[in-house]
Structure formats: C-alpha cells, structure tokens
Amino acid sequence: MSPRVRAVVLNFNGGRHVIDCVEALRRTDWPAADFEVVVVDNASSDGSDGELRRRFPDLEIRPTGANLGFPANNVAMGDLDGFDHVALVNNDAFVDPGWLRPLVAALDA
C-alpha cells in the first residue's frame, strides 16, 4: 500500500496554465486510490475555474469566494485525515509522471 498523498493547486486566474498543471498531475505515476488533486480557487475571474469543471468533472474544486492569497491553501488542508503527505503545487508547474516517488521516499526515510 502506498502512502496517501493530496496535491493542492492554488489557482487565481491561472488560465491555460492551471489546465496544463492538472493534466500533468493526473499523469502522476502513483496509485489512483492513494492520490488526490484538489484545486483551491481564489475567486478567479478569467473563467479558469469553469474550464476546470468542464474538462475535469470529477476534480475537486474548492472556491474561496475571494482572493485570499497563499494562505488559501489551508482550505484544502483542514481535512487531511487519512492522508500521509500534502504536496503544494503551483498552478503554473507541470510535473513529470515520476515526480512524487522520490519526494515521498525522502519524506518517509
């Protein structure tokens, strides 16, 4: 059994970047049952939140209702029961499929 990991992406008007970010995260080489992606949307006005919902209907998106800045990540960290690790991923970061394994190995060591 793999450690459970939640990847949190903070979005504010991320446009195409946040779409590419989520697509890359979905290609992560990790058991799907032990990996979750949550996007915290900081009241985007560019339609990126709606585009995320359209492209990824099963993606968990947590709207903040206002631009709370970086602390809005906490919206996705209040219910971590059952998770072993949290990864904060910038909405303009595009991870390689194997990105998570060395990080978890280092943390677990």
Side-chain angles (χ1 to χ4, degrees), residues 4-8 36 38 62 73-88:
R4 290 198 69 217
V5 178
R6 175 180 286 167
V8 178
E36 175 181 79
V38 174
R62 298 184 185 182
N73 279 310
N74 294 330
V75 169
M77 292 192 279
D79 61 340
L80 293 175
D81 193 35
F83 285 91
D84 300 294
H85 304 292
V86 175
L88 301 179

Side-chain angles (χ1 to χ4, degrees), residues 10-86:
L10 182 62
N11 183 49
F12 176 69
N13 293 335
R16 180 67 204 184
H17 289 304
V18 71
I19 303 300
D20 293 343
C21 176
V22 171
E23 286 175 346
L25 284 167
R26 290 200 160 200
R27 290 189 297 271
T28 296
D29 178 23
W30 200 260
D34 295 322
F35 184 67
E36 175 181 79
V37 177
V38 174
V39 173
V40 176
D41 188 74
N42 254 346
S44 293
S45 60
D46 68 345
S48 56
D49 56 333
E51 187 64 14
L52 285 168
R53 284 185 183 87
R54 188 184 73 73
R55 288 181 186 238
F56 311 105
D58 60 333
L59 177 66
E60 184 172 350
I61 301 172
R62 298 184 185 182
T64 61
N67 186 352
L68 304 178
F70 184 79
N73 279 310
N74 294 330
V75 169
M77 292 192 279
D79 61 340
L80 293 175
D81 193 35
F83 285 91
D84 300 294
H85 304 292
V86 175

